[in-house]
Amino acid sequence: MKVEFLINGKKTALNVGPLKALVDILRDDLAMKGTKKGNSPAEYGCELVFLNGELVDASLIPAFRVDKGEILTIEGIKQRKDFPDYERIVREVLKGNDRLYCAGNIVMLVKALFMEKKNNDIEAVKEALSEVICSEIGFSGIVEGVKRLSSLRGKRIRG
Amino acid sequence: MAVREKGIEVSPGNFVSDIDLKGMLKVSIVRSSIPSGEIEEIKLPKIPAGYWIIGRESVPGTNFFVTNASLIDDTVGKDGSSQGLSEGEMGKESCGKYRRLWFAEGRVNYPGEPILLVAGPDLHIVRELASSVTVKYREDGYITDPIEALKEGRIIRRESFDRGNYESIYREAYQVVEEEYEIRGQEHLYDEPQAAVATWDGKLLTVYTQCQDPFLLRVYLAALLNLPEKRIRVVLPSTGGALNGKLEDAILVAGYVSLVSFVTSLPAKLAYTREEDLDYTSKSYPVIARYRSAVDSNGDLMGLSVTLIVDSGAYETFGYDSLLRMRLASLGVYRCNDIHFEMYLVSTNKVPFGVMEGMGSPQGFSGIEIHSSRLAEIAQVDPFVWKKRNLISKGFILPSGYAIEEYETPLLVLERVVSISDFQRKYSAYEMAKKRRSNVESGTFPLRGIGLSLCFQPAGLPDYYEKKRKSSVILKFDRNRNITVFSSFFDYSGLERLIVSGLLEKYGFDGSRYIWELVDTQISPDTGPSLPVRRGMIMKPLLERGLNMLKRKRLNSIPPLSVKVSYRNPSRRRQPNKLPYSGLVWVGTVVEVEVDPITFNVAFRGIWVVTSGKGDKLDLDSSGTSEVPSLISEVEAGVMHGLGFVLGRRRNFKGLHSGENSFYVVRGGFTVREIPLKIDFLGGEKNSGCFNCTGEVGIVGVAPAFIAAVSQATGVYINKMPVAPSVIQDYIDSENAEAENVGTP
Amino acid sequence: MRKSSRRGKREAEIYRPESVRELLTIYNSNPGAVLFAGGTSLMAGEIYGMESEDYRNQRGASVESIVSLERVSELNRIVRKERYLEIGAAVPLSKILAIGSRVIPRALFSSLSVVGPPSVRNLATLGGGLCAANVAFSPLPVLDVLGARLELRSKAKTRWLSISDFLVEEGVTQLSVNEILTRIRIPYSDWDIQYFRRVGEWGNPDYPVLNFCALVRTEKDTIEDVKFALGGLPEGIIRDRKLELSITGLKIPIGERDKKVILKRWEELLNEGIGRNVSKETGELGRNLNYQIKTGIKIFKSFVEGLVFLNYSGFNI
């Protein structure tokens, strides 16, 4: 079927099977490799994107659902003005290792927290971040990182 | 911090599974669906144009690669030939010794064993074709129970030794304590599933892989394809995590994809889905450990007998180092001169087991450290007091027969972890509460317990192996004052970069001006496998020597400058009983838990880890404040992995009936957020640290400390891992049933 | 228009009705159509024991038509009436939760909050969860004790069922051919105590899920009305009105003799609910059932014994 949607602000049209998962559309049809596949063994993967402003798992979204929708991926976030904030989290918290496989997902989760204004709710932060399964490093620094970023942004707004 | 990347579409943030090349074939593996049997017939579906079926017949070189043998036995050549084993000798009798096959030959020995490859431009069609291949088998009996495998004589390796006179010790002992412990295989669960890409242009084979040992991979590819090594180029773009699970499995994946590319002259890619990775890659070795100790009237150790039954799965793998560590670890750190030790590596009809983070030490220490907690309890003595009393001291050697160099360190580590966790006070409080309780299930108060373990992790790989491997590193200093590091050691956690930037400062170079060159066998020297245990012991000294040489060269010459440094075995006096490793890192772990009496869910009140290794402290003063958090982060990750052994979820091996011997464990369901974790590097100073295998210390001692804690909390002796609420319920039910039986006249 | 895709297989037809009437017309003429709400069950093949990719491919190949519920207005709205709250079957859980725990009964709010990680709650729907009939779905016992009713509609008729009538057993519901679940109606009522507790881990065979919910109305220290249910056992929801009635009128704290009788009955209920003698089951199934029964007994006991505290604080978990 033909699907038309906005991806990172750009209009795109594709011809794909209606049940093809969004993660496969991104990686195969659009050659956008930022959204990773299979980095969690949970019932659901951890391949996060924003669909119509909401954080969802791209492996659970079929093509027909994407039609007339708006998608924001990690590639899109990287182009935005506020990306340095998230990059800071990745560098600090992930100890500068932006090459971690889960780095993209962490950025998505942190961004979702800020978008939903839950960044100051510690329990919500912990719950959101528990979704990421990263085998390489421990996450004690992440909550701190979000706190620091929250206060930094707060300072910026207040001038 | 720039990392220059080369190659086709390879850039930061891109992983092997992200690589897409024009005209690339996707590969899928046709696998055995049964655990054991002869292949009678293979029926292929109609193959459309542009699609390929590739199997045994297409292999230009040898259909096997040697696993353990060439690494520990000098009489065995790279093809296993001097053992007199010919290619055809892979029947049941050979027990999968020494070799692993690329493609099954006439019979299959585990569910999932590769039989054929299907390749083509559309992955969905490839997978459909793969599932349409029909294989007719003549099934025969299979074994999943390692004890049964032992009884049937399916022994790949056996080892035993005696020291002193343990038999008479047992006869004279005040008390004999006999227990059996079991630890299951754990899935590595690296973030990025196995994947590889290969291209062959008629002259050069280029393989993009995640393999932790690219030079070893090159050797195997050369044998598989009958190509000289110089016509094979292995590149590591990035690895989405490894946990030491990207050795043999990565070699298999890279081999298949290379074969397809070689045969078709097209680029090829094989990327496992998560499910495929879970079902068909190796897990850590499952071990059954039988302990029989003789103790005196004080409860102190007099004689120790240990039998380890290690399940290798269908074939022997790269576990040479793991078995050695298991032996060292299982015999523990206590004074004992009367020892009996037996170890059997047996083969069962499961996916072959192999190396994981911890490399055998967690399995080994799980036995002895749970056991010593029991001995302490039976002696009605605080485990810290017991351990201190029985701890190895000057004039003694380890029960495994080796001498250690520093005797103060283990004691200091033990004392420190006990002190920061307030272990002794809590232990006696919980012990008293346990004794006062009449019924675990009736209380409304949480059940608490605390456990302690003292372990070590040898740093580096065994000396004889490091000597053979002759790792080296090249450093270049260019006109822009950048230092470029050329090494096959892969920087997948960022620690390597930190070591380098710290060292640069130390030797007068600019800490921010360095490049870690992409691992590429055409330009990188062989630094041996990328393992966390080798980082501090091998990698760092090489870097230091190299920087020192560059520093001196710089005084007399202008850039560009270049040095190559090779591993030098630290000169040691001929010492009897010398530990076959260059160093030891000691780890003390305390785990405090709270078990909900209603649900038997285990919550953590705290985990404390103290670690120290002599001889390799990095001076972190000049390198900024981020280094120690990085080390902490690595140890944290290790603790999570260690908890995977005890809290991981069961998952059945595919193709085997659900049962006691058909599962492995997968981490999940708990995260750092729920666990107050404190890590201390001995000394307690913020800037002290030790890089010796920090990636490995978290995992070693957590499991036995956890088991001891939960055993105290619930009042039952838990001997098997993993431990889940329904399992705890089972243990309590059988205790109650026993108590009832004892009561009846 | 049907398009043919690779290998001559026809691509699935996608329908996107905007009203229930349209939906029922389509569903009537395509009885094999797959109703797609959040899609979390359908897209995650692991639930069906198949590798996700193969599942999606196979499903994709065998599915002839998909009916997306995303645009059906009646299914996607939440209506607050005077005496009840109506939730459309295709409303994502996160949207229900966004209304807040002052409008949604607290126990229901708690049970919805524990479903999946946050990103799954953006997709999963209450209707989808009910129709998938997984006994471990946390809102089940809560909706039952709240007296929720489900509207089932076909072209021919409309009927309303209670949760326990709707859910037959694991994986099986009362939905008949051509019938769809459209709304979940939850009557407003005043409860002094709303207690919800979930135990277990989804997807962990050794830590099976149990969901317990209890609602109590008290007048000073007397229990005026009480309802409780346990979900997670294979047979569905465990509930006994007679037992509930026998507790009504008792004073808090419940006396020892009464407590003993109540607990004994509850234990019988769990064992009967299983319909078989647990000690005869072996292996994993036996262990899980044994754990669920024993833990179910302990949860209820702790609820009964904790009534005095719950009543005092008016608190719910």
Side-chain angles (χ1 to χ4, degrees):
Chain A
M1 72 179 288
K2 184 154 187 262
V3 289
E4 280 176 3
F5 51 94
L6 276 178
I7 175 107
N8 296 329
K10 210 172 92 168
K11 254 200 206 156
T12 310
L14 289 174
N15 214 335
V16 290
L19 274 188
K20 185 166 188 175
L22 176 58
V23 67
D24 293 323
I25 295 174
L26 289 172
R27 290 177 64 83
D28 299 336
D29 298 283
L30 297 174
M32 292 169 68
K33 305 290 186 179
T35 309
K36 303 301 182 196
K37 228 178 140 162
N39 61 349
S40 159
E43 287 84 325
Y44 310 104
C46 195
E47 301 112 1
L48 300 172
V49 297
F50 286 99
L51 174 65
N52 303 329
E54 282 186 339
L55 191 68
V56 294
D57 183 335
S59 66
L60 295 178
I61 306 290
F64 73 81
R65 232 185 137 151
V66 163
D67 194 28
K68 312 278 188 297
E70 220 177 293
I71 300 170
L72 178 64
T73 70
I74 184 71
E75 287 91 348
I77 290 181
K78 277 188 174 161
Q79 290 159 12
R80 294 198 166 182
K81 268 199 298 209
D82 59 356
F83 180 64
D85 287 345
Y86 304 108
E87 207 176 12
R88 164 192 266 109
I89 289 220
V90 171
R91 289 208 180 286
E92 278 181 6
V93 167
L94 302 186
K95 320 305 172 206
N97 199 345
D98 51 355
R99 295 159 101 206
L100 276 184
Y101 203 64
C102 55
N105 278 318
I106 292 172
V107 169
M108 302 303 265
L109 284 166
V110 173
K111 182 155 178 69
L113 286 167
F114 277 94
M115 272 168 60
E116 289 164 28
K117 304 215 183 337
K118 288 199 181 135
N119 47 299
N120 286 315
D121 175 358
I122 292 299
E123 281 313 309
V125 172
K126 286 181 181 173
E127 195 196 3
L129 293 171
S130 70
E131 205 173 326
V132 176
I133 297 181
C134 178
S135 299
E136 295 313 298
I137 58 161
F139 274 136
S140 59
I142 268 204
V143 174
E144 289 306 312
V146 174
K147 262 197 222 161
R148 270 200 300 273
L149 184 59
S150 296
S151 70
L152 181 73
R153 285 170 82 128
K155 280 195 201 128
R156 255 193 244 144
I157 291 168
R158 293 193 290 273
Chain B
M1 258 176 272
V3 179
R4 187 155 36 94
E5 310 279 349
K6 294 203 296 228
I8 307 167
E9 289 181 33
V10 173
S11 55
N14 253 18
F15 296 83
V16 175
S17 44
D18 295 332
I19 297 177
D20 273 337
L21 302 171
K22 207 165 165 208
M24 192 167 78
L25 300 176
K26 283 67 166 199
V27 180
S28 184
I29 303 176
V30 175
R31 297 179 182 271
S32 161
S33 54
I34 62 160
S36 179
E38 306 278 329
I39 298 175
E40 283 190 336
E41 192 191 354
I42 299 178
K43 266 211 208 106
L44 301 175
K46 184 151 176 280
I47 311 293
Y51 289 80
W52 306 70
I53 300 257
I54 292 165
R56 162 95 185 76
E57 299 73 29
S58 312
V59 172
T62 55
N63 187 34
F64 62 86
F65 56 92
V66 181
T67 56
N68 233 354
S70 71
L71 299 164
I72 61 169
D73 188 340
D74 283 326
T75 67
V76 180
K78 283 184 185 161
D79 61 355
S81 55
S82 66
Q83 284 293 315
L85 287 173
S86 66
E87 257 190 61
E89 281 173 272
M90 283 305 294
K92 276 165 93 167
E93 294 71 34
S94 69
C95 303
K97 207 169 188 167
Y98 304 137
R99 304 173 178 214
R100 182 104 182 246
L101 295 177
W102 293 101
F103 296 103
E105 276 175 6
R107 61 166 293 109
V108 292
N109 294 312
Y110 67 93
E113 184 160 8
I115 299 174
L116 286 176
L117 302 173
V118 181
D122 185 329
L123 181 59
H124 294 149
I125 298 178
V126 165
R127 292 176 75 90
E128 260 181 52
L129 287 171
S131 53
S132 321
V133 172
T134 358
V135 183
K136 201 158 148 233
Y137 304 96
R138 190 169 58 242
E139 288 193 57
D140 39 44
Y142 64 89
I143 294 181
T144 55
D145 181 358
I147 304 217
E148 199 187 326
L150 181 64
K151 285 201 194 110
E152 294 286 316
R154 289 219 202 161
I155 301 169
I156 298 177
R157 273 184 203 284
R158 71 153 55 87
E159 209 185 296
S160 68
F161 73 84
D162 284 288
R163 246 181 53 222
N165 203 353
Y166 87 102
E167 277 299 339
S168 63
I169 294 286
Y170 281 102
R171 275 180 257 128
E172 295 160 11
Y174 179 79
Q175 198 174 8
V176 172
V177 181
E178 205 164 333
E179 289 209 315
E180 184 178 288
Y181 310 103
E182 197 165 351
I183 186 168
R184 302 290 176 161
Q186 185 182 169
E187 160 61 33
H188 303 82
L189 209 64
Y190 27 72
D191 293 346
E192 183 190 8
Q194 303 277 358
V197 170
T199 62
W200 166 249
D201 64 4
K203 296 205 202 91
L204 180 72
L205 175 78
T206 305
V207 183
Y208 300 92
T209 176
Q210 303 177 48
C211 183
Q212 289 173 259
D213 198 345
F215 281 89
L216 187 68
L217 170 61
R218 195 174 67 170
V219 169
Y220 288 131
L221 291 178
L224 172 71
L225 301 174
N226 203 16
L227 279 177
E229 283 180 34
K230 63 174 187 274
R231 291 178 62 191
I232 299 173
R233 175 183 171 220
V234 178
V235 179
L236 248 73
S238 229
T239 295
L243 279 96
N244 298 344
K246 290 190 173 157
L247 286 161
E248 201 161 314
D249 284 304
I251 288 177
L252 280 171
V253 170
Y256 292 134
V257 94
S258 301
L259 179 65
V260 170
S261 192
F262 187 75
V263 165
T264 63
S265 295
L266 290 169
K269 176 178 183 180
L270 174 56
Y272 284 1
T273 60
R274 175 60 66 184
E275 286 95 345
E276 202 172 353
D277 199 294
L278 287 173
D279 289 330
Y280 301 124
T281 61
S282 69
K283 322 297 169 209
S284 64
Y285 285 107
V287 177
I288 296 172
R290 293 178 173 155
Y291 280 78
R292 196 161 161 258
S293 324
V295 296
D296 65 16
S297 53
N298 288 326
D300 291 330
L301 195 62
M302 287 173 64
L304 182 62
S305 165
V306 179
T307 302
L308 298 180
I309 302 163
V310 184
D311 192 345
S312 185
Y315 298 102
E316 189 175 30
T317 58
F318 289 166
Y320 58 92
D321 173 73
S322 297
L323 296 176
L324 179 54
R325 277 174 215 259
M326 259 187 245
R327 167 154 56 95
L328 293 173
S330 65
L331 288 162
V333 301
Y334 307 110
R335 284 191 315 274
C336 189
N337 289 325
D338 301 280
I339 311 278
H340 174 73
F341 178 80
E342 280 173 58
M343 177 159 77
Y344 301 94
L345 183 69
V346 300
S347 83
T348 58
N349 296 97
K350 295 177 216 166
V351 177
F353 295 100
V355 188
M356 181 177 156
E357 184 181 325
M359 301 178 78
S361 294
Q363 291 95 322
F365 280 113
S366 287
I368 185 67
E369 285 303 280
I370 301 176
H371 192 65
S372 58
S373 297
R374 296 285 150 77
L375 296 181
E377 200 206 335
I378 289 167
Q380 305 214 20
V381 155
D382 171 330
F384 167 58
V385 169
W386 191 95
K387 284 185 207 294
K388 206 167 155 179
R389 235 166 43 195
N390 286 271
L391 188 61
I392 186 114
S393 53
K394 207 158 185 162
F396 285 87
I397 55 175
L398 288 173
S400 39
Y402 299 104
I404 59 174
E405 288 186 340
E406 51 336 312
Y407 293 90
E408 315 82 34
T409 312
L411 186 58
L412 288 173
V413 165
L414 183 65
E415 282 175 342
R416 178 127 185 102
V417 76
V418 160
S419 145
I420 62 174
S421 61
D422 200 11
F423 176 84
Q424 290 193 281
R425 187 184 62 89
K426 289 173 181 172
Y427 181 83
S428 63
Y430 300 153
E431 200 59 20
M432 212 153 39
K434 181 178 88 178
K435 287 181 178 141
R436 286 210 197 109
R437 264 198 311 261
S438 52
N439 182 355
V440 158
E441 290 179 279
S442 64
T444 45
F445 300 107
L447 312 165
R448 291 185 181 158
I450 193 165
L452 168 70
S453 73
L454 180 65
C455 313
F456 57 73
Q457 179 68 300
L461 285 175
D463 286 342
Y464 57 75
Y465 182 74
E466 296 289 0
K467 248 199 304 205
K468 253 186 168 186
R469 200 63 198 256
K470 291 206 197 61
S471 303
S472 48
V473 156
I474 294 173
L475 295 172
K476 291 196 178 160
F477 183 58
D478 63 27
R479 289 205 180 89
N480 297 322
R481 302 199 328 263
N482 289 322
I483 297 265
T484 306
V485 179
F486 294 84
S487 163
S488 70
F489 213 87
F490 180 75
D491 172 25
Y492 50 81
S493 71
L495 256 192
E496 279 71 19
R497 295 188 214 179
L498 291 165
I499 298 176
V500 171
S501 64
L503 289 176
L504 286 174
E505 300 286 331
K506 184 176 173 185
Y507 289 97
F509 295 96
D510 185 341
S512 62
R513 305 189 76 88
Y514 80 91
I515 298 161
W516 194 286
E517 187 56 71
L518 184 69
V519 177
D520 179 342
T521 52
Q522 283 191 328
I523 57 172
S524 316
D526 182 6
T527 322
S530 283
L531 304 170
V533 278
R534 300 182 75 242
R535 185 189 287 132
M537 218 63 220
I538 310 296
M539 191 58 200
K540 203 172 135 284
L542 284 174
L543 287 174
E544 266 207 89
R545 274 175 48 217
L547 286 170
N548 198 17
M549 282 167 67
L550 267 183
K551 176 182 174 186
R552 279 185 279 144
K553 253 193 176 181
R554 198 185 180 185
L555 297 171
N556 304 323
S557 336
I558 52 164
L561 305 170
S562 168
V563 296
K564 179 174 180 179
V565 238
S566 295
Y567 175 73
R568 271 203 308 252
N569 212 7
S571 62
R572 281 166 206 279
R573 296 186 302 274
R574 276 216 167 254
Q575 199 186 338
N577 307 329
K578 184 203 160 296
L579 198 71
Y581 294 91
S582 309
L584 278 186
V585 176
W586 292 88
V587 187
T589 314
V590 168
V591 174
E592 186 184 351
V593 300
E594 186 170 290
V595 180
D596 183 323
I598 294 176
T599 64
F600 292 143
N601 186 34
V602 180
F604 290 93
R605 290 174 60 79
I607 298 185
W608 296 261
V609 177
V610 172
T611 176
S612 171
K614 190 181 163 217
D616 200 27
K617 282 191 181 197
L618 178 70
D619 176 20
L620 297 171
D621 284 324
S622 52
S623 326
T625 56
S626 60
E627 278 70 15
V628 173
S630 299
L631 301 181
I632 288 177
S633 178
E634 280 235 332
V635 178
E636 266 177 4
V639 169
M640 293 303 110
H641 304 157
L643 287 176
F645 286 114
V646 287
L647 290 178
R649 302 175 184 188
R650 275 192 298 135
R651 190 183 157 101
N652 216 65
F653 280 109
K654 205 158 185 186
L656 292 177
H657 290 301
S658 162
E660 269 312 295
N661 293 299
S662 312
F663 72 87
Y664 54 96
V665 293
V666 181
R667 286 194 302 284
F670 54 86
T671 53
V672 178
R673 69 181 173 116
E674 296 165 358
I675 301 171
L677 179 59
K678 282 198 175 50
I679 295 161
D680 204 7
F681 298 95
L682 196 66
E685 294 102 40
K686 203 176 96 162
N687 285 330
S688 75
C690 180
F691 281 97
N692 279 339
C693 47
T694 31
E696 296 269 338
V697 304
I699 195 174
V700 174
V702 174
F706 176 90
I707 295 285
V710 175
S711 296
Q712 182 182 47
T714 56
V716 289
Y717 285 162
I718 295 179
N719 291 347
K720 289 191 183 190
M721 295 169 239
V723 176
S726 62
V727 171
I728 294 178
Q729 180 76 62
D730 255 6
Y731 270 103
I732 288 175
D733 286 349
S734 20
E735 276 256 325
N736 289 341
E738 251 182 61
E740 277 173 32
N741 285 340
V742 166
T744 42
Chain C
M1 288 284 268
R2 288 191 172 232
K3 291 190 187 134
S4 62
S5 72
R6 55 175 174 82
R7 289 161 63 80
K9 284 211 179 106
R10 285 192 180 151
E11 236 177 42
E13 194 93 26
I14 310 291
Y15 298 98
R16 316 187 81 159
E18 292 180 7
S19 69
V20 171
R21 184 135 53 108
E22 207 185 322
L23 166 60
L24 287 172
T25 309
I26 296 166
Y27 200 38
N28 232 29
S29 30
N30 295 281
V34 171
L35 296 177
F36 200 102
T40 49
S41 300
L42 293 169
M43 296 295 286
E46 180 120 352
I47 292 176
Y48 295 89
M50 258 189 262
E51 199 170 319
S52 314
E53 294 228 23
D54 289 339
Y55 172 76
R56 286 200 284 267
N57 287 344
Q58 276 188 36
R59 220 38 174 104
S62 66
V63 162
E64 288 197 346
S65 37
I66 297 168
V67 186
S68 169
L69 304 179
E70 224 182 346
R71 295 181 187 167
V72 181
S73 49
E74 297 97 308
L75 265 46
N76 281 285
R77 57 180 182 219
I78 301 176
V79 179
R80 281 190 246 177
K81 295 253 165 77
E82 201 187 310
R83 284 187 298 148
Y84 48 78
L85 177 71
E86 239 169 47
I87 303 174
V91 177
L93 300 181
S94 57
K95 289 219 163 47
I96 305 175
L97 287 166
I99 297 187
S101 55
R102 284 189 218 274
V103 180
I104 312 271
R106 287 183 315 234
L108 183 61
F109 188 90
S110 304
S111 69
L112 292 171
S113 311
V114 298
V115 175
S119 69
V120 166
R121 292 201 287 274
N122 283 338
L123 293 175
T125 64
L126 198 50
L130 288 166
C131 294
N134 188 324
V135 291
F137 188 50
S138 291
L140 280 174
V142 180
L143 289 169
D144 194 43
V145 296
L146 283 172
R149 299 191 64 83
L150 310 177
E151 183 187 51
L152 306 179
R153 282 177 67 171
S154 63
K155 223 157 194 271
K157 66 174 197 262
T158 301
R159 56 183 182 138
W160 290 83
L161 287 183
S162 68
I163 297 287
S164 37
D165 287 337
F166 178 74
L167 179 70
V168 177
E169 61 178 20
E170 167 78 36
V172 184
T173 68
Q174 277 286 349
L175 267 178
S176 34
V177 176
N178 295 345
E179 218 177 16
I180 55 172
L181 168 63
T182 47
R183 295 184 286 184
I184 298 109
R185 182 181 280 175
I186 302 161
Y188 286 129
S189 41
D190 253 319
W191 297 99
D192 296 293
I193 299 169
Q194 291 192 44
Y195 183 89
F196 171 75
R197 183 166 190 179
R198 188 186 78 162
V199 158
E201 245 169 41
W202 191 284
N204 187 346
D206 289 332
Y207 193 17
V209 171
L210 283 174
N211 299 297
F212 178 76
C213 181
L215 305 172
V216 189
R217 192 177 306 122
T218 57
E219 178 58 43
K220 292 219 179 104
D221 284 340
T222 308
I223 298 173
E224 271 200 347
D225 195 2
V226 64
K227 298 191 201 301
F228 45 85
L230 181 71
L233 290 165
E235 276 73 7
I237 300 172
I238 306 278
R239 189 155 171 212
D240 184 3
R241 318 279 158 129
K242 260 172 67 183
L243 181 57
E244 288 169 5
L245 279 172
S246 73
I247 299 177
T248 309
L250 294 178
K251 269 193 168 331
I252 298 172
I254 296 178
E256 277 310 307
R257 216 165 34 166
D258 286 325
K259 192 165 81 173
K260 233 177 170 172
V261 171
I262 294 167
L263 293 178
K264 185 155 181 278
R265 176 61 196 141
W266 178 254
E267 193 172 331
E268 280 166 18
L269 205 58
L270 291 183
N271 279 304
E272 273 168 37
I274 296 294
R276 48 197 156 186
N277 193 346
V278 170
S279 59
K280 291 223 177 75
E281 295 288 345
T282 53
E284 195 180 306
L285 180 60
R287 183 166 71 210
N288 284 352
L289 289 175
N290 180 45
Y291 174 77
Q292 282 186 306
I293 290 177
K294 294 216 162 92
T295 309
I297 293 169
K298 284 192 274 183
I299 290 176
F300 185 66
K301 182 162 179 267
S302 117
F303 161 69
V304 168
E305 286 172 349
L307 269 173
V308 61
F309 304 105
L310 294 169
N311 191 33
Y312 179 70
S313 61
F315 198 62
N316 66 289
I317 297 190

